[in-house]
Amino acid sequence: MPGASANLSAYAPPTSFLLLGLESVQTWLSLPVCFIYTLALLGNATLLWVIWTESSLHQPMYLFLSFLALTDMAMPTCILPKMLGIFWANAQEITFAACLVQMFMVHALSVVESGTLTTMAYDRYVAICNPLNYTTLLTPRMVVKFGAAVVIRAIVIVLPIPLLLLRLTFCHSQNISHTYCEHMALVKLACGNTTPNNLYGLVVSLLVTGGDLTFIFVSYGLILRTVFHLPSLEARHKALGTCGAHVGVIFILYTPGLFSFLSHRFGHNIQHSVHIFLANVYLLVPSMLNPIVYGAKTKEIRVRVLRAMGLQRRK
């Protein structure tokens, strides 16, 4: 039937989308974005090099940090090459399949990063609150298992998101008002019942962020209780010092993430460009700042980097 075939073709999956996020500011924004990306790659690569070449750093805390550095290199790489293509070559088109892959990677890596910070909080809890069992509870095999669990959790949680999108028809505009393929930006282009997509996205955000933050806060509450019962003031400072970098990274990651989530869900009066800017800050800035924070706060890493630069001699 001609009418039926016409309707089916009208609701066929789109072959491509156009990423139209920050056209008005893309000229001057491209240089700082490129600078942030370069710093993120160099900083995290340096962190990985220091950890893997210094045998004294082959400990659970630094192995988790290596995993975080790898995630921080992968996260901006998922969006920056395409974003710079948009800024410099006006390459706004992205295929439907590539869009789903990019969206899956961005959200999965976000869950991986959150899960990694949670395991690092557990590492600090065991090291300070149960130091006698540290080497038995966090063996290299257990560290690998924790890493595998973090990745598997991310895949299981995020995989339904593109699958739920595949059931939708996109009969509105094919212009994505974003600099990368983001779940809710795609949902807004779909027609039909998008309630399952909205609910699943909300539940995942609340459970992952809320669950991980709750575990981290509880862990550090127990850590602080233990630290303040230590008899020596020097021991207290040392224990708090080992946690300082981790707390800084947690603050750097979750603060823009929570602002982005809250403004996207509830900030209906906020300009759309602000939503896009916060979403990009959440993905780019922590990847750049994390190695800087760990390099400044962690003595072993700081000393190793200074030695490599010839600014400090071995004792």
Side-chain angles (χ1 to χ4, degrees):
M1 295 176 62
S5 60
N7 289 335
L8 288 174
S9 62
Y11 292 107
T15 57
S16 63
F17 292 105
L18 291 179
L19 293 168
L20 307 173
L22 298 169
E23 302 93 334
S24 59
V25 295
Q26 66 184 37
T27 302
W28 65 264
L29 189 62
S30 61
L31 290 180
V33 163
C34 187
F35 179 72
I36 289 173
Y37 183 44
T38 303
L39 280 184
L41 293 182
L42 289 177
N44 286 289
T46 301
L47 202 59
L48 286 170
W49 172 76
V50 168
I51 292 172
W52 288 107
T53 56
E54 187 68 33
S55 59
S56 62
L57 299 182
H58 294 174
Q59 304 171 26
M61 171 184 172
Y62 299 105
L63 295 178
F64 286 132
L65 181 54
S66 297
F67 196 54
L68 182 66
L70 287 172
T71 306
D72 282 335
M73 293 177 73
M75 182 86 76
T77 302
C78 288
I79 65 170
L80 256 296
K82 181 61 180 177
M83 188 185 301
L84 293 176
I86 295 172
F87 290 165
W88 291 340
N90 203 30
Q92 298 170 325
E93 187 174 5
I94 184 171
T95 65
F96 182 65
C99 190
L100 290 183
V101 171
Q102 185 189 60
M103 182 193 63
F104 172 79
M105 293 300 298
V106 166
H107 291 298
L109 287 169
S110 298
V111 177
V112 167
E113 184 152 32
S114 181
T116 303
L117 291 177
T118 304
T119 59
M120 293 172 75
Y122 175 72
D123 169 82
R124 291 299 84 203
Y125 163 75
V126 176
I128 294 174
C129 300
N130 196 7
L132 296 179
N133 293 323
Y134 183 76
T135 55
T136 56
L137 290 175
L138 284 167
T139 62
R141 174 176 286 188
M142 283 304 300
V143 172
V144 172
K145 287 183 178 179
F146 273 123
V150 166
V151 172
I152 292 171
R153 183 188 78 146
I155 293 173
V156 170
I157 289 175
V158 177
L159 187 58
I161 292 178
L163 295 179
L164 285 171
L165 281 171
L166 287 174
R167 55 176 278 277
L168 296 176
T169 52
F170 295 88
C171 52
H172 298 312
S173 171
Q174 292 182 336
N175 297 335
I176 300 176
S177 299
H178 219 299
T179 53
Y180 61 90
C181 290
E182 197 267 341
H183 176 226
M184 292 308 300
L186 275 173
V187 169
K188 291 178 180 178
L189 300 182
C191 54
N193 184 17
T194 61
T195 301
N197 303 74
N198 289 311
L199 285 179
Y200 189 78
L202 180 62
V203 169
V204 166
S205 299
L206 292 177
L207 286 181
V208 172
T209 305
D212 289 351
L213 275 178
T214 298
F215 185 90
I216 290 171
F217 284 144
V218 170
S219 297
Y220 273 95
L222 296 173
I223 288 172
L224 289 175
R225 187 182 67 177
T226 301
V227 166
F228 289 124
H229 281 85
L230 294 175
S232 169
L233 184 61
E234 182 180 353
R236 294 179 192 175
H237 287 163
K238 184 178 179 180
L240 290 174
T242 60
C243 300
H246 188 213
V247 172
V249 168
I250 291 169
F251 180 79
I252 289 169
L253 175 69
Y254 285 109
T255 300
L258 288 174
F259 271 114
S260 178
F261 172 77
L262 292 174
S263 66
H264 189 82
R265 295 284 178 176
F266 306 109
H268 302 296
N269 296 324
I270 299 177
Q271 291 185 0
H272 187 65
S273 59
V274 176
H275 292 294
I276 300 174
F277 178 77
L278 289 173
N280 283 281
V281 166
Y282 167 64
L283 293 183
L284 300 179
V285 175
S287 296
M288 177 191 68
L289 292 181
N290 288 352
I292 297 174
V293 171
Y294 272 106
K297 287 286 187 178
T298 308
K299 180 181 178 181
E300 293 83 357
I301 294 176
R302 184 173 65 252
V303 169
R304 186 68 176 85
V305 171
L306 291 175
R307 284 176 185 169
M309 297 172 64
L311 300 177
Q312 183 169 320
R313 296 180 180 179
R314 291 182 178 271
K315 295 182 179 180

